[in-house]
Amino acid sequence: MRVFLVAGEPSGDRLGGALMEGLKTLVPDIEFDGVGGPLMEAEGLASRFPMSELSVMGLVEVLPKFFHLKRRISETAQAVLDTQPDVLITIDSPDFSLRVAKLVKASSTIRTVHYVAPSVWAWRPGRADKMAKVIDHVLALLPFEPPYMERAGMECDFVGHPVASEPVATPQEIATFRATFELGDTPILLALPGSRRGEIERLSECFRDALHQFISDRPEFRVVVPTVGAAADLINSVVPSWPGDPVVLDPRHIGADQASAYKRAAFGAANLALAASGTVSLELAAQNTPMVIAYKLNWLTQKMAERMVKLDTVTLVNLVSDTRAVPECLLDDCVPGKIAAALNQVADAPDAQRQAMDLTMDRLGRGGEPPGLRAARAVLERMNA
């Protein structure tokens, strides 16, 4: 069996790596081709070009790279057509992935699977109908997504979210982390302004000023800033002006396992977190870390989003638990005063989010079969149906 996979950013690489591991468990002689990052390469993929070329988000950020991305779309689709795999599996990054699938479907009958349902329940609801013309089967991370995909004419399986099966920090790991970074028993505030350069540049000043206001009232807090290798230089350049004697968790000079252990322990040790919108809210929920979500976009992207977004929350914990337990400071509300007030609100009642976080993890598949294996099984069962 031959599988062509396409992932465009680190979260997709993580999903792809777990899916590939699951497929190898079920089909030991499977062959892989496509585009991915280090986790997919560790499972046997020789990426056709660096996945980092595709890690672009937002209209303003995409425009300067438009022609290069368009060329990569054509190259990737042609590679699929040339190799004739049994299935094409695109992973997230819908603006790239679905264009590849469209070109493939226009010239072949190759089966197409898309992993991570686009958020049609939040905005651009017509995308599901367009997607159904080029995608046969969707693997959904969230339990409420299959009806949206099926209504448009696609097969869809909820396969669980990978964060629900990841290990949580042990008391020993937390104690070791605190000792290593000389944090003692001081309360910890995690600051997570995103992993992409554009996000960090938009949010770092706002985060800094909000933290100054919060820590002026609560000087006992220390700030810890986990980051990824690609963003480490930028983070290290902005945090010296932040309060709370920040500790940056820079993964570049330690092994991947140690970096993951430090991040896991930081999430587990934290009393509170200020985070950009995204999957990080689920990672915090898995560690029972109460949070405030803050996010803003470039002006043009924001104006488009304001016209299209259909929901009153974007935080996945709120959506999956069907609550509004996690405070949000979004778009025009992403200002230091409102963020600091929300942080104080959560610090005063840290247990108010616990029930919503537990419910979220249960609904995402905590305690069940690993999502990568569930996804692999769904791909194979639908192909053989």
Side-chain angles (χ1 to χ4, degrees):
M1 180 178 176
R2 290 176 297 161
V3 179
F4 198 107
L5 302 105
V6 178
E9 53 187 321
S11 60
D13 182 46
R14 182 171 62 173
L15 291 169
L19 171 60
M20 291 168 67
E21 182 181 11
L23 287 168
K24 289 195 297 185
T25 298
L26 301 173
V27 186
D29 61 345
I30 197 166
E31 297 177 8
F32 298 116
D33 194 356
V35 180
L39 297 178
M40 293 171 69
E41 290 174 335
E43 295 296 332
L45 179 72
S47 186
R48 287 179 172 261
F49 56 83
M51 185 189 72
S52 58
E53 294 185 17
L54 308 181
S55 298
V56 186
M57 181 179 180
L59 176 63
V60 175
E61 293 84 355
V62 167
L63 285 176
K65 299 184 177 182
F66 174 77
F67 291 107
H68 178 70
L69 290 170
K70 188 174 181 180
R71 185 168 63 253
R72 287 302 196 194
I73 290 168
S74 297
E75 292 174 358
T76 304
Q78 190 59 53
V80 178
L81 294 171
D82 289 343
T83 57
Q84 290 292 302
D86 295 288
V87 61
L88 165 64
I89 302 177
T90 54
I91 306 168
D92 210 358
S93 303
D95 290 322
F96 185 88
S97 295
L98 298 184
R99 284 175 169 83
V100 171
K102 181 179 180 179
L103 292 176
V104 169
K105 277 296 190 186
S107 300
S108 75
T109 58
I110 294 171
R111 183 172 177 80
T112 53
V113 177
H114 189 68
Y115 197 173
V116 184
S119 302
V120 298
W121 35 268
W123 72 318
R124 295 172 68 181
R127 169 173 272 188
D129 294 327
K130 294 179 181 178
M131 183 176 165
K133 298 176 182 178
V134 300
I135 294 296
D136 300 308
H137 180 200
V138 179
L139 303 172
L141 301 187
L142 304 175
F144 54 78
E145 292 176 321
Y148 292 92
M149 303 297 110
E150 292 167 348
R151 194 175 301 129
M154 292 170 284
E155 299 169 347
C156 187
D157 292 295
F158 166 61
V159 297
H161 199 291
V163 73
S165 64
E166 291 175 354
V168 298
T170 66
Q172 181 58 51
E173 286 178 322
I174 291 173
T176 300
F177 169 77
R178 283 184 169 276
T180 299
F181 292 96
E182 300 180 349
L183 294 167
D185 294 326
T186 188
I188 293 172
L189 193 165
L190 286 183
L192 299 149
S195 59
R196 300 180 183 89
R197 172 170 290 274
E199 289 177 324
I200 297 167
E201 290 174 341
R202 285 195 302 274
L203 293 173
S204 60
E205 184 176 331
C206 187
F207 274 37
R208 178 199 66 198
D209 293 347
L211 292 174
H212 271 294
Q213 292 186 33
F214 175 77
I215 288 178
S216 68
D217 295 329
R218 301 174 187 263
E220 70 275 14
F221 271 84
R222 289 287 303 278
V223 174
V224 174
V225 190
T227 187
V228 297
D233 283 337
L234 179 57
I235 287 291
N236 280 308
S237 73
V238 299
V239 298
S241 64
W242 291 15
D245 192 14
V247 174
V248 176
L249 302 183
D250 188 335
R252 293 175 296 178
H253 307 301
I254 57 178
D257 290 344
Q258 184 63 70
S260 294
Y262 280 159
K263 178 183 176 182
R264 181 169 63 246
F267 278 48
N271 302 83
L272 178 62
L274 170 60
S277 177
T279 305
V280 70
S281 71
L282 300 181
E283 297 180 85
L284 292 165
Q287 301 282 351
N288 272 321
T289 305
M291 70 196 85
V292 171
I293 299 298
Y295 204 73
K296 60 182 175 180
L297 301 164
N298 282 303
W299 181 86
L300 181 58
T301 307
Q302 175 174 329
K303 293 306 175 186
M304 293 176 63
E306 288 172 349
R307 293 171 61 91
M308 296 178 180
V309 173
K310 308 298 181 183
L311 299 176
D312 65 343
T313 180
V314 300
T315 299
L316 290 173
V317 172
N318 289 343
L319 289 166
V320 176
S321 66
D322 196 22
T323 70
R324 298 298 180 263
V326 176
E328 298 173 318
C329 298
L330 307 175
L331 304 179
D332 291 339
D333 288 332
C334 186
V335 293
K338 290 187 177 181
I339 295 171
L343 288 170
N344 275 302
Q345 172 192 333
V346 176
D348 287 338
D351 292 330
Q353 297 177 24
R354 304 289 185 190
Q355 185 175 356
M357 292 191 289
D358 281 340
L359 181 58
T360 296
M361 289 300 105
D362 289 342
R363 288 181 173 175
L364 292 181
R366 179 168 57 186
E369 188 174 61
L373 184 57
R374 289 178 65 179
R377 201 182 306 283
V379 169
L380 296 173
E381 288 178 353
R382 293 285 191 177
M383 287 180 67
N384 296 325

